[in-house]
Amino acid sequence: GYVSGIHTSGFTIWKDAPMKFEKASYSINQGKASLDTVMCNGPQKSLFDCEYYLEKHCKGGARGVICLDSRNLTLELRGGLVPSEGNLFVNGKPVCDDGWGVKDAIVACRMLGYAFGTPTNESRFGSVDEVFIFKDVNCRGHEESLLDCSYSGDNCKANEGAGVVCQSAADLTLDLTGWTEDSGLDGDYGGNVVFNGETVCDSSWDDKDANVVCRILG
């Protein structure tokens, strides 16, 4: 089955949508609807597991979906000077930069075969079409696909394209700086952690994080 979907208001359809919809699937029976104000939070297996109202006097448009299958998802970068950078396009449509951050870029770059990614915003690599596939993408960083993250539909402008600068594992650097013999600290080696030339912030830093760094450094 499908793993994810994007909501639509009314009968919204694009000419190059990934699947064909019949208008009858979206029809309203004389202005009435069986469910009103459906409120799911994601993991439910049935609409009846969500909160909803049974008021049969819906005056708004019919609600629909565009279903997405991760097996048919294609990612590409456009506008960059090298293949590893550019505005991000999914199934030929741009991604909006609303909420676009480091964790989102990392997931996108992993899907493209890279180890790490830095986000770009405001259509850094050129203006994009205004028919977006995602906005408000919110990944936690461990996901295998952008479809595993939360997101919503379009409604962005040509200068709001999200992009990435991806890096392979061989391009990543991890160093320690500031260690001296008279530092007064116990240990064989240490220092401030510098990842890709930038000092790592100490917010939430603990022994588990330090263990990972020391394992990487050998």
Side-chain angles (χ1 to χ4, degrees):
Y2 297 100
V3 297
S4 190
I6 301 173
H7 76 278
T8 67
S9 293
F11 185 71
T12 302
I13 193 73
W14 292 277
K15 292 181 180 179
D16 55 346
M19 61 184 296
K20 180 180 179 182
F21 299 98
E22 297 296 335
K23 189 169 183 179
S25 300
Y26 289 76
S27 64
I28 301 177
N29 183 16
Q30 298 179 349
K32 298 180 180 180
S34 59
L35 295 179
D36 193 359
T37 317
V38 179
M39 294 171 286
C40 302
N41 57 23
Q44 293 90 347
K45 295 182 179 181
S46 168
L47 286 177
F48 296 106
D49 296 330
C50 308
E51 294 184 46
Y52 58 87
Y53 295 103
L54 286 176
E55 300 173 2
K56 296 186 178 181
H57 55 271
C58 180
K59 296 181 180 180
R63 297 304 184 236
V65 297
I66 292 177
C67 298
L68 299 172
D69 187 338
S70 60
R71 296 169 296 181
N72 299 323
L73 207 65
T74 59
L75 272 68
E76 59 180 318
L77 303 180
R78 299 182 186 176
L81 296 177
V82 294
S84 59
E85 67 179 24
N87 292 326
L88 179 64
F89 285 74
V90 178
N91 285 3
K93 295 184 177 66
V95 175
C96 180
D97 66 2
D98 287 356
W100 186 251
V102 173
K103 294 179 180 179
D104 311 314
I106 290 173
V107 173
C109 286
R110 276 206 305 264
M111 293 180 70
L112 290 164
Y114 297 94
F116 186 74
T118 302
T120 65
N121 303 88
E122 299 179 348
S123 299
R124 174 175 167 181
F125 299 99
S127 295
V128 300
D129 295 335
E130 294 190 3
V131 179
F132 291 80
I133 191 166
F134 299 138
K135 79 167 188 175
D136 297 323
V137 178
N138 184 17
C139 301
R140 299 177 65 182
H142 65 270
E143 295 89 349
E144 294 183 0
S145 169
L146 290 175
L147 295 182
D148 298 327
C149 309
S150 64
Y151 55 84
S152 59
D154 60 5
N155 190 27
C156 294
K157 302 298 182 182
N159 63 347
E160 295 182 90
V164 292
V165 177
C166 299
Q167 293 176 283
S168 65
D171 297 328
L172 302 179
T173 61
L174 185 66
D175 301 298
L176 300 178
T177 63
W179 175 269
T180 61
E181 292 292 336
D182 57 355
S183 63
L185 299 174
D186 295 329
D188 298 315
Y189 183 52
N192 295 324
V193 180
V194 180
F195 179 67
N196 273 4
E198 300 287 342
T199 303
V200 175
C201 179
D202 65 358
S203 296
S204 302
W205 188 255
D206 59 20
D207 288 344
K208 294 180 181 178
D209 308 314
N211 287 337
V212 172
V213 170
C214 290
R215 282 201 304 269
I216 294 173
L217 292 171

